[in-house]
């Protein structure tokens, strides 16, 4: 590592003001701060520093996403071999390798397109490259079906970075979660590639692994089957483990729970927001169950679709969620409640978590505003 540090110190003057490569200063700074913690210090004002910065926050979220991503890769291969009827003869390595090779191009496209735009934008404006897309770059591939074409994914990444992040001022200034925005773009622009029964299982043969399935093959998610009035084929145990059709990283509640423990243990995510999402979802699910509006057992919502993934990794985004303590309770409750309302009341759209989080992002500043104003009023009344 010392050799790399010495190399960077040697070439760094070329990228500083007056150097022959100063036009690419932002690009060099981005690579350097990715490899090493910056040693710059504040020169004016009073500042309090701790061991947590944006790079460490993003890194911990990426680590927390690893269990869901790795299991998602395995599940992609599992669903392919299961559909072809060759699961019994396939080894663990073959199943995982197939899923790995199916998911890897999506992750590469996401990072190449998203980071490419981030680098170009920072270079154009002469600003530092921010670390925010480290998380968005892996979130976006995990919340789309495996059948999503790469060119569509590239368009979604470009849309989310440009229109939902950079035009607001970059990392920390965006109103909407970039990954949710990418999913929304894909869902409304190309609905046939994001929903239905043909997008959840990889149908191509990759480097001799897996099986080339016919185009007519279908595999509905449990939520899709319930929306059609059909009892799901998968057991509750399979749903909890994640051995069901679904978006790449959203199927395994166990893997998501491991990520939740990491986020809560490190203090990255708000337990108030996370808990409130499940409380809000449970309250509305129980209400619908008791009134006969839904035949689904209330806690089944948590093991189907992207409810758990959204509650742990998307709703807790510190930039787009509420900042106040009271606001976090309200924000999380509204997201969980709205997700269940959409699932139960709209048969044409069985998964409601995406729209619920998008709506929550929209009203989060308003919730914080009223919470702060209420606190100010209470203090003024005490003074009187």
């Amino acid at each position: 590592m010392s050799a790399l540090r010495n190399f960077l110190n040697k070439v760094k003057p070329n990228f500083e003001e007056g150097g022959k490569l100063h036009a690419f200063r932002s690009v060099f700074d981005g690579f350097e701060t990715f490899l090493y913690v910056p040693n710059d210090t504040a020169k004016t004002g009073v500042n309090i520093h701790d061991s947590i910065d944006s790079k460490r926050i993003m890194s911990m979220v990426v680590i927390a996403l690893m269990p869901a991503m790795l299991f998602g890769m395995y599940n992609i291969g599992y669903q392919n071999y299961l559909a072809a009827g060759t699961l019994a003869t396939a080894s663990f390595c073959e199943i995982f390798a197939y899923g790995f090779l199916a998911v890897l191009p999506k992750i590469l496209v996401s990072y190449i397109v998203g980071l490419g735009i981030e680098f170009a934008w920072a270079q154009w404006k002469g600003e530092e490259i921010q670390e925010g897309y480290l998380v968005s770059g892996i979130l976006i591939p995990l919340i789309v079906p495996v059948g999503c074409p790469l060119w569509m994914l590239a368009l979604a990444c470009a849309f989310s970075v440009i229109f939902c992040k950079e035009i607001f001022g970059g990392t920390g200034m965006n109103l909407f979660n970039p990954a949710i925005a990418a999913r929304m773009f894909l869902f409304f622009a190309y609905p046939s590639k994001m929903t239905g029964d043909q997008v959840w299982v990889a149908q191509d043969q990759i480097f001799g692994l897996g099986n080339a399935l016919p185009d007519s093959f279908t595999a509905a998610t449990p939520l899709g089957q319930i929306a059609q009035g059909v009892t799901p084929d998968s057991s509750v145990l399979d749903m909890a483990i994640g051995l069901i059709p679904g978006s790449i990283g959203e199927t395994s509640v166990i893997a998501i729970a491991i990520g939740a423990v990491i986020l809560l243990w490190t203090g990255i995510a708000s337990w108030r927001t996370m808990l409130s999402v499940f409380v809000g979802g449970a309250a509305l699910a129980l209400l619908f169950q008791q009134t006969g509006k839904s035949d689904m057992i209330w806690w089944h919502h948590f093991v189907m679709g992207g409810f758990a993934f959204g509650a742990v990794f998307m709703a807790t985004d510190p930039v787009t969620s509420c900042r106040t303590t009271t606001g976090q309770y309200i924000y999380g409750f509204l997201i969980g409640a709205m997700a269940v309302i959409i699932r139960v009341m709209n048969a044409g759209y069985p998964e409601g978590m995406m729209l619920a989080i998008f709506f929550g992002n929209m009203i989060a500043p308003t919730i914080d505003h009223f919470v702060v104003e209420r606190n100010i009023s209470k203090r003024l009344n005490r003074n009187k």
Side-chain angles (χ1 to χ4, degrees):
M1 295 298 290
S2 60
L4 178 59
R5 179 69 268 178
N6 292 334
F7 173 77
L8 292 175
N9 291 336
K10 181 180 179 180
V11 301
K12 188 173 183 177
N14 295 322
F15 294 92
E16 294 178 343
E17 192 66 33
K20 59 182 179 180
L21 298 176
H22 72 276
F24 300 99
R25 181 179 180 278
S26 296
V27 177
F28 177 83
D29 180 74
F31 279 111
E32 184 184 28
T33 54
F34 177 78
L35 295 171
Y36 295 97
V37 176
N39 58 2
D40 297 333
T41 58
K43 296 178 175 60
T44 60
V46 179
N47 298 273
I48 299 175
H49 298 272
D50 61 14
S51 60
I52 296 296
D53 58 11
S54 59
K55 184 194 300 182
R56 288 182 175 87
I57 291 174
M58 300 303 169
S59 299
M60 290 308 304
V61 177
V62 171
I63 292 172
L65 283 164
M66 287 296 105
M69 184 191 72
L70 294 175
F71 186 88
M73 291 177 175
Y74 175 81
N75 188 48
I76 294 302
Y78 179 91
Q79 296 299 327
N80 177 273
Y81 281 96
L82 179 65
T86 57
L87 182 62
T89 60
S91 66
F92 173 87
C93 292
E94 289 175 324
I95 295 173
F96 181 81
Y98 180 88
F100 174 81
L101 293 173
V103 176
L104 182 61
K106 290 179 169 53
I107 296 176
L108 292 177
V109 166
S110 175
Y111 275 119
I112 290 171
V113 173
L115 287 179
I117 295 174
E118 291 258 21
F119 276 46
W121 195 283
Q123 194 62 47
W124 172 49
K125 301 192 70 176
E127 299 175 348
E128 293 182 358
I129 296 172
Q130 299 166 333
E131 301 91 351
Y133 197 78
L134 289 177
V135 174
S136 299
I138 194 170
L139 274 176
I140 294 174
L142 294 185
I143 60 175
V144 299
V146 67
C148 177
L150 296 180
W151 64 269
M152 279 175 44
L153 189 65
L155 283 179
C157 293
F159 173 84
S160 67
V161 172
I162 296 173
F163 294 102
C164 294
K165 185 179 178 184
E166 296 300 346
I167 64 171
F168 286 98
T171 300
M173 305 295 291
N174 48 295
L175 178 62
F176 299 104
N177 185 295
I180 288 292
R183 184 72 162 76
M184 293 275 288
F185 173 83
L186 289 172
F187 180 80
F188 290 110
Y190 307 99
S192 63
K193 297 293 186 180
M194 299 298 294
T195 57
D197 297 343
Q198 297 185 356
V199 300
W200 307 109
V201 177
Q203 301 185 16
D204 298 325
Q205 192 175 37
I206 303 176
F207 296 115
L209 296 170
N211 305 268
L213 304 179
D215 293 337
S216 59
F217 174 80
T218 60
T221 64
L223 275 176
Q225 290 177 317
I226 290 175
Q228 298 169 9
V230 179
T231 302
D233 299 329
S234 305
S235 66
V236 175
L237 180 61
D238 284 342
M239 290 185 233
I241 295 174
L243 298 175
I244 56 175
S247 295
I248 294 170
E250 295 180 349
T251 60
S252 176
V253 176
I254 295 175
I256 294 168
I258 295 173
V261 170
I262 295 174
L263 293 180
L264 295 176
W265 179 61
T266 55
I268 301 299
S270 167
W271 66 266
R272 299 177 185 88
T273 301
M274 199 180 297
L275 176 63
S276 298
V277 174
F278 287 101
V279 172
L284 267 293
L286 276 169
L287 177 63
F288 284 128
Q289 183 181 345
Q290 294 299 321
T291 57
K293 295 291 185 180
S294 173
D295 297 329
M296 190 189 307
I297 301 174
W298 65 271
W299 57 270
H300 282 187
H301 282 280
F302 302 159
V303 296
M304 293 185 185
F307 193 99
F309 190 91
V312 172
F313 296 111
M314 315 289 277
T316 56
D317 177 12
V319 174
T320 57
S321 63
C322 285
R323 311 288 180 88
T324 59
T325 299
T326 304
Q328 289 172 353
Y329 288 117
I330 299 171
Y331 171 81
F333 187 91
L334 288 177
I335 288 178
M338 184 169 296
V340 174
I341 291 173
I342 296 173
R343 284 182 173 188
V344 175
M345 303 303 292
N346 186 357
Y349 183 56
E351 175 58 81
M353 202 60 182
M354 174 187 69
L355 289 176
I357 296 175
F358 190 83
F359 179 79
N361 292 166
M362 189 187 304
I363 65 172
T366 304
I367 295 173
D368 276 341
H369 170 76
F370 282 110
V371 170
V372 171
E373 289 297 317
R374 177 176 175 272
N375 291 339
I376 293 174
S377 298
K378 289 174 65 177
R379 290 172 184 173
L380 290 175
N381 291 334
R382 283 200 299 268
N383 290 334
K384 292 179 182 179

